[in-house]
Amino acid sequence: MTDQRSLTLNENSELVCELPILSGTTGPDVIDIETLYKQTGMFTFDPGFTSTASCRSNITYIDGEAGILLYRGYPIEQLAEKCTFLEVCYLLLNGELPTPEELKEFQGTITMHTMVHDQLTNFFKGFRRDAHPMAIMVGIVGALSAFYHDALDIKSKKHRDISAIRLLAKVPTIAAMCHKYSTGLPFMYPQNQLSYVENFMRMMLATPCDDFVPNPVLVRALDRILILHADHEQNASTSTVRLAGSSGANPYACITAGIACLWGAAHGGANEAVLNMLIKIGDVSNIQTYIAKAKDKNDPFRLMGFGHRVYKNHDPRAKLMRATCHEVLNELGLHDDPIFKLALELERIALEDSYFIDKKLYPNVDFYSGIVFHALGIPTNMFTAMFAMGRTVGWIAHWDEMIADPEQRIGRPRQLYTGSTRRDVPADHGQTKA
Ligand code: CMC
């Protein structure tokens, strides 16, 4: 959307340039700087993209000051309470919640694609047995384009939809296989009579000797966790997927780029880092020491699971995650879990500390997710893979939106060059004898 307003830049009362101001359906207006270089010969400088909108999008909206998160206009709280993860997937991909018939068909199609090509299992053998599951996942998801190249015409909506279904259906199978491989256990095949989450839990937790009996409370909790992770507008991994896709790369390559980016501790890797941090803190009596470390400018330690680039009041996902954590621990009779108690106390102390108050640092989605995963029997090195499983649908929705966008061009940021100016290689270079 655009309106008649514009930003005028003047120097010495001379008009330097005029930039249109664009409005979305909600949220701050944006200054359209597309012609800035043409008009002024200057670029903008915005490391970390703190003030830059990189695209138009109608998928997800965040108001970081008010702690609001909407998928296609629906508040995350309502979706987490009233919908299943697959309904949310349908919503993110298609823009509307499915009717019962649409959901049935969608669920059926996903179920039919959960198995991976059997030759793909050979790939696993190339990895060290003790490799991190995320390292394996990056390799295996990337390898999918070598197996499903019958639908890689990204200009075809039909091909894009087939790839979306394949990714959504196969990523949980691959995630579970990564875990089984890294622990030396046999792969478990998916079973068509199980739901999306039950299937994943069984592939992850069962063995040929010991089957998985679904507990509805735990299945619902994991389903909700996937909903909370499903999308988060232009975060680092989604922007990575968009940038990779802007060159015309295939969807499997793009989602792999997203998984690789997510792995970092400042992003999806934080859930693993939180649990490791809580274990290291060990006891309530040590909290103050770690709070002091987090506040010390000369100490690289950060309170993992705290802070967010966009949320400056509260992360609505963290509130829902905290409630889910209570639910799961109660169901499992773990309400006295020492790690959970430690987390609650750490949160309380940090939220009363002026450092965290002044910098508007609140618990984020990752603060409690690790405790829930741990209680569900998911090993720590699989936490970020769980995040990737939830986020895959968001990545696909953004990739698809970008490819379909007539304004889409290859992403190509500019830079402020600070290196050496032009110089010549000395004429005698390489001629000196040792
Ligand atoms: N502990 C201690 N100090 C912090 C923390 C923290 N967790 N987070 C930010 N700060 C301080 C930081 O030192 C800086 O202080 P100063 O202004 O004095 O230099 C100030 O707060 C602003 O931090 P920033 O790094 O400039 O903020 P950012 O927006 O670039 O980073 C963040 C956001 C999430 C990377 C950061 O808060 C962080 O590293 N948090 C811990 C990792 C974490 O939990 N990540 C998960 C994010 S939510 C899941 C997801 O969507 O990926």
Side-chain angles (χ1 to χ4, degrees):
M1 258 173 263
T2 183
D3 57 30
Q4 299 309 309
R5 291 173 304 151
S6 61
L7 177 82
T8 328
L9 298 183
N10 296 306
E11 200 175 4
N12 306 328
S13 311
E14 292 284 319
L15 177 71
V16 178
C17 80
E18 207 165 294
L19 301 166
I21 294 176
L22 312 179
S23 301
T25 46
T26 182
D29 290 342
V30 304
I31 303 160
D32 178 354
I33 57 163
E34 226 183 330
T35 60
L36 182 76
Y37 179 62
K38 211 186 257 173
Q39 293 191 58
T40 66
M42 285 189 278
F43 300 132
T44 54
F45 183 63
D46 184 19
F49 309 119
T50 50
S51 293
T52 298
S54 62
C55 61
R56 292 172 206 263
S57 182
N58 51 30
I59 300 171
T60 288
Y61 174 74
I62 300 174
D63 180 337
E65 297 300 326
I68 290 171
L69 170 60
L70 311 175
Y71 294 166
R72 302 282 190 187
Y74 295 110
I76 189 69
E77 294 80 2
Q78 292 179 23
L79 294 170
E81 191 197 327
K82 298 183 173 157
C83 298
T84 64
F85 176 62
L86 278 192
E87 283 178 286
V88 170
C89 289
Y90 187 97
L91 171 71
L92 287 169
L93 295 174
N94 300 293
E96 297 297 334
L97 283 166
T99 62
E101 297 73 39
E102 285 166 339
L103 181 62
K104 199 167 164 222
E105 193 190 332
F106 184 63
Q107 253 163 348
T109 315
I110 296 278
T111 304
M112 287 304 135
H113 284 84
T114 47
M115 271 207 293
V116 292
H117 195 294
D118 215 46
Q119 280 178 11
L120 198 71
T121 54
N122 296 331
F123 270 66
F124 283 87
K125 299 192 183 105
F127 288 96
R128 267 180 67 129
R129 199 194 63 75
D130 55 356
H132 194 288
M134 283 297 281
I136 307 178
M137 211 166 158
V138 167
I140 299 290
V141 176
L144 289 178
S145 57
F147 289 86
Y148 303 102
H149 44 71
D150 56 328
L152 289 185
D153 175 5
I154 61 165
K155 294 289 170 208
S156 154
K157 176 69 180 145
K158 194 170 163 219
H159 280 206
R160 295 205 301 276
D161 287 349
I162 294 170
S163 299
I165 293 287
R166 282 177 171 159
L167 276 159
L168 216 49
K170 294 180 202 305
V171 163
T173 311
I174 293 171
M177 289 170 88
C178 292
H179 163 63
K180 291 293 186 195
Y181 183 80
S182 68
T183 46
L185 289 165
F187 297 144
M188 299 296 288
Y189 283 96
Q191 287 194 347
N192 287 353
Q193 79 280 9
L194 298 178
S195 73
Y196 191 83
V197 168
E198 285 170 347
N199 218 344
F200 169 73
M201 288 177 97
R202 185 182 163 279
M203 289 188 287
M204 177 81 200
L205 303 171
T207 68
C209 327
D210 207 0
D211 209 358
F212 161 77
V213 182
N215 172 329
V217 176
L218 305 186
V219 170
R220 179 67 192 127
L222 186 50
D223 194 86
R224 195 177 308 129
I225 291 174
L226 296 182
I227 294 175
L228 300 183
H229 286 93
D231 194 39
H232 217 225
E233 51 116 309
Q234 312 309 322
N235 57 86
S237 56
T238 303
S239 299
T240 301
V241 169
R242 278 185 177 261
L243 195 56
S246 76
S247 72
N250 74 66
Y252 304 104
C254 298
I255 300 307
T256 303
I259 297 174
C261 175
L262 184 77
W263 195 4
H267 194 5
N271 53 16
E272 184 175 338
V274 170
L275 199 78
N276 288 334
M277 174 189 77
L278 291 171
I279 291 168
K280 207 164 157 196
I281 295 176
D283 189 78
V284 172
S285 60
N286 298 326
I287 290 178
Q288 283 301 353
T289 310
Y290 282 87
I291 293 272
K293 274 166 77 62
K295 288 158 61 174
D296 181 355
K297 273 231 161 280
N298 300 315
D299 190 323
F301 175 79
R302 281 190 170 198
L303 213 52
M304 299 313 288
F306 260 75
H308 198 274
R309 169 63 61 80
V310 183
Y311 294 120
K312 298 299 172 198
N313 182 328
H314 73 274
D315 178 342
R317 303 167 303 170
K319 209 170 148 204
L320 293 160
M321 192 63 84
R322 195 180 198 258
T324 303
C325 196
H326 267 294
E327 240 171 76
V328 167
L329 296 179
N330 280 340
E331 176 65 18
L332 294 171
L334 296 172
H335 26 263
D336 284 331
D337 178 62
I339 293 285
F340 184 51
K341 284 190 161 168
L342 184 65
L344 286 173
E345 191 57 9
L346 179 60
E347 181 189 14
R348 190 190 65 76
I349 293 174
L351 291 181
E352 284 173 3
D353 191 296
S354 60
Y355 173 91
F356 292 89
I357 296 170
D358 295 347
K359 293 190 188 299
K360 301 188 173 181
L361 299 170
Y362 297 89
N364 58 50
V365 68
D366 289 324
F367 192 67
Y368 285 105
S369 62
I371 301 172
V372 190
F373 290 145
H374 183 64
L376 292 175
I378 293 169
T380 316
N381 66 2
M382 275 298 290
F383 291 0
T384 311
M386 307 296 295
F387 193 150
M389 242 171 72
R391 185 56 58 84
T392 296
V393 66
W395 291 329
I396 300 168
H398 282 272
W399 171 79
D400 188 63
E401 181 181 66
M402 182 194 66
I403 302 293
D405 182 353
E407 280 185 354
Q408 190 264 325
R409 301 164 75 187
I410 187 166
R412 180 38 172 109
R414 307 305 290 248
Q415 64 171 8
L416 177 65
Y417 178 67
T418 55
S420 168
T421 53
R422 189 198 181 283
R423 52 185 167 158
D424 294 315
V425 176
D428 61 350
H429 178 77
Q431 290 169 11
T432 20
K433 296 225 160 60

